[in-house]
């Protein structure tokens, strides 16, 4: 079976109590969501008793017996190798925060149809009624036989780091926390092109990240792996540095591989002379701090719906401006990454998604822009049909090169 991008609602189904007008009578968002955004569709016909006997009993017993004898056959004779579980506990949903598993389902359904639309990957939303790390890990491990990969979604930090690591250690399928790594991959791709546009290498840049949560930590890691000159990360209390005594284990680790310059103090202090600002925290950065950055700086203000630096302000000082919004140029959108990353990993039945695979995805994404590179076009549109095939091929090749591919 495959997830079909359809809305199965009936026009006659009002789905509300009493005589009040239904929500979707005046809001198109509710109208689109009525009945959910996805359904299940069979990939084989059941037209007569012969079809039934092959698809179900007695024919299915032959396939079950073969898989019992040779477990790897599950990848060839079921949907396992082409389907991803989209797993959340509803604790960090978009900008809404901890709204619970039921309220997270519209987002998880949306994620599933993006997998299908942009990567040809089937996905199943799974919202868990638990937030304990041990319980989440145990639940996903028990569900894993049905899936070729797991996309962790909207799980709050710092628990998300431990959950991802423990699942990677326990399972031999790709585990990918998109809030971390999808954001990081697209950010790196845009940064590579911004550097190319201005005649610099990424190793010449000093970056400052606002936000030491899931996305901020992952962006810092991928930038260091990609050879950034230096990167400092700031949380609510200032720059994450080794001299602070209030750091969590994750932030202590972060301090160990970032901030080679030894900057201390506030975000505004770190921005003085910086080449890159990357915002993944919300809040507002004062204009004078943006003005203090190096000439030809890049401002990637990705908070939604309100960027940390409004593009009108950023353009006064920056050579390249990017946001997380679709109504401005250079949108840093995770949908550019995760469908192709999973498609490539599943294609070669990878046992995990490595740092090398993520960097390969970023390089492939950046290359799609090609000779069209401009200040308002350092990252392609999600609707560019070249994106998913390019990312898929690059990730599959990197998986083979790194020895995690199994076909």
């Amino acid at each position: 079976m495959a997830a079909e991008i359809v809305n199965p609602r009936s026009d006659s189904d009002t789905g509300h109590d009493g005589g009040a007008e239904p929500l979707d009578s005046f809001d198109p968002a509710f109208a689109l969501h009525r009945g959910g955004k996805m359904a299940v569709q069979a990939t084989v016909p059941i037209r007569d008793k012969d079809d039934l006997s092959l698809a179900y009993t007695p024919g299915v017993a032959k396939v079950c017996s073969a898989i019992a004898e040779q477990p790897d056959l599950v990848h060839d004779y079921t949907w396992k190798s082409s389907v991803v579980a989209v797993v959340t506990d509803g604790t960090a949903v978009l900008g809404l925060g901890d709204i619970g598993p039921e309220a997270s389902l519209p987002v998880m359904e949306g994620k599933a149809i993006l997998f299908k639309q942009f990567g040809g990957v089937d996905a199943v939303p799974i919202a868990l009624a638990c937030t304990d790390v041990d319980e989440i890990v145990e639940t996903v491990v028990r569900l894993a036989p049905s899936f070729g990969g797991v996309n962790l979604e909207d799980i709050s930090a710092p628990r998300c780091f431990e959950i991802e690591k423990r699942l990677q250690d326990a399972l031999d399928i790709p585990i990918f926390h998109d809030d971390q790594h999808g954001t990081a991959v697209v950010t790196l791709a845009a940064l590579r092109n911004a550097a190319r546009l201005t005649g610099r290498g990424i190793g010449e840049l000093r970056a400052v990240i606002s936000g030491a949560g899931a996305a901020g930590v992952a962006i810092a890691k991928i930038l260091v792996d990609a050879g950034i000159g230096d990167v400092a990360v700031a949380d609510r209390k200032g720059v994450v540095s080794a001299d602070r005594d209030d750091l969590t284990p994750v932030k202590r680790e972060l301090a160990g591989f970032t901030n080679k310059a030894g900057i201390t103090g506030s975000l505004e202090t770190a921005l003085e002379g910086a080449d890159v600002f990357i915002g993944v925290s919300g809040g507002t950065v004062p204009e004078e701090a943006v003005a203090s950055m190096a000439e030809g700086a890049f401002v990637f203000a990705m908070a939604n719906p309100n960027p940390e630096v409004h593009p009108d302000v950023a353009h006064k000082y920056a050579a390249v401006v990017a946001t997380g919004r679709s109504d401005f140029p250079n949108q840093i959108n995770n949908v550019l990454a995760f469908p192709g990353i999973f498609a490539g990993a599943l294609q070669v039945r990878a046992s995990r998604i490595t740092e090398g695979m993520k960097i390969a995805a970023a390089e492939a994404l950046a290359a799609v822009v090609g000779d069209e590179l401009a200040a308002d076009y350092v990252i392609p549109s999600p609707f560019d049909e070249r994106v998913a095939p390019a990312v898929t091929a690059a990730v599959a090749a990197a998986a083979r090169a790194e020895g995690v591919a199994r076909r």
Side-chain angles (χ1 to χ4, degrees):
M1 294 185 176
E4 183 185 24
I5 306 170
V6 298
N7 190 328
R9 64 184 181 272
S10 166
D11 291 338
S12 62
D13 176 19
T14 58
H16 67 103
D17 297 325
E21 284 292 308
L23 292 169
D24 55 7
S25 66
F26 57 87
D27 191 321
F30 282 93
L32 182 139
H33 283 78
R34 179 173 291 283
K37 298 193 292 288
M38 58 187 295
V40 173
Q41 176 184 345
T43 60
V44 296
I46 307 294
R47 297 162 300 196
D48 51 38
K49 66 177 184 178
D50 291 334
D51 288 343
L52 180 59
S53 68
L54 288 173
Y56 202 55
T57 185
V60 72
K62 297 179 181 179
V63 182
C64 293
S65 297
I67 294 171
E69 292 178 8
Q70 301 181 57
D72 278 354
L73 292 178
V74 69
H75 299 283
D76 298 314
Y77 295 105
T78 72
W79 76 339
K80 180 179 173 73
S81 279
S82 61
V83 67
V84 169
V86 181
V87 177
T88 190
D89 64 358
T91 56
V93 182
L94 298 178
L96 303 174
D98 185 356
I99 60 175
E102 289 86 358
S104 77
L105 271 175
V107 177
M108 301 310 115
E109 287 183 1
K111 198 78 173 191
I113 65 174
L114 295 179
F115 265 111
K116 188 66 172 178
Q117 177 72 33
F118 294 104
V121 174
D122 293 315
V124 177
I126 298 176
L128 302 178
C130 60
T131 58
D132 178 78
V133 169
D134 291 339
E135 291 180 354
I136 291 172
V137 170
E138 181 181 4
T139 301
V140 176
V141 168
R142 292 181 184 277
L143 289 170
S146 295
F147 299 100
V150 176
N151 183 91
L152 299 172
E153 189 77 18
D154 292 350
I155 298 173
S156 63
R159 295 173 312 116
C160 59
F161 301 111
E162 182 180 356
I163 290 168
E164 183 186 46
K165 183 180 186 306
R166 286 177 57 181
L167 287 174
Q168 286 176 337
D169 291 342
L171 300 172
D172 65 346
I173 58 176
I175 310 295
F176 187 82
H177 185 211
D178 185 51
D179 301 312
Q180 292 183 59
H181 310 300
T183 306
V185 165
V186 183
T187 301
L188 175 58
L191 186 59
R192 282 196 179 281
N193 274 340
R196 180 164 69 93
L197 178 70
T198 56
R200 289 177 281 179
I202 195 169
E204 301 173 55
L205 304 176
R206 180 171 73 85
V208 177
I209 299 172
S210 174
V217 171
I219 292 169
K221 285 182 177 178
I222 202 169
L223 292 185
V224 170
D225 287 343
I228 190 83
D230 196 10
V231 56
V233 182
D235 62 11
R236 291 183 180 88
K237 297 182 179 180
V239 176
V240 175
S241 56
D243 65 325
R244 281 177 49 180
D245 59 6
D246 61 345
L247 300 180
T248 64
V250 170
K251 290 180 183 179
R252 279 199 298 272
E253 180 185 357
L254 183 64
F257 65 85
T258 62
N259 194 18
K260 292 187 294 186
I263 298 170
T264 59
S266 66
L267 170 70
E268 289 80 4
T269 299
L271 282 175
E272 294 177 11
D275 302 293
V276 186
F277 167 75
I278 297 171
V280 284
S281 65
T284 302
V285 177
E287 181 172 346
E288 54 267 28
V290 181
S292 76
M293 295 178 68
E295 185 177 353
F298 313 141
V299 171
F300 292 4
M302 299 187 288
N304 264 317
N306 300 311
E308 294 88 349
V309 183
H310 192 279
D312 291 344
V313 173
H315 277 297
K316 294 180 184 179
Y317 311 102
V320 176
V321 177
T323 72
R325 288 175 42 160
S326 60
D327 54 344
F328 292 109
N330 296 327
Q331 184 190 18
I332 307 297
N333 191 330
N334 289 16
V335 77
L336 289 162
F338 69 82
I341 289 173
F342 267 99
L346 294 175
Q347 184 181 96
V348 297
R349 201 151 57 85
S351 58
R352 61 189 299 110
I353 294 172
T354 66
E355 293 304 311
M357 292 162 71
K358 296 169 198 172
I359 290 176
E363 291 173 347
L365 181 56
V368 169
V369 170
D371 294 337
E372 302 170 73
L373 182 63
D376 61 354
Y377 185 58
V378 297
I379 199 75
S381 162
F383 295 98
D384 188 323
E385 294 182 354
R386 299 172 296 175
V387 168
V391 173
T392 299
V395 168
R400 291 190 178 101
E402 299 205 346
V404 297
R406 291 176 289 193
R407 68 177 177 194

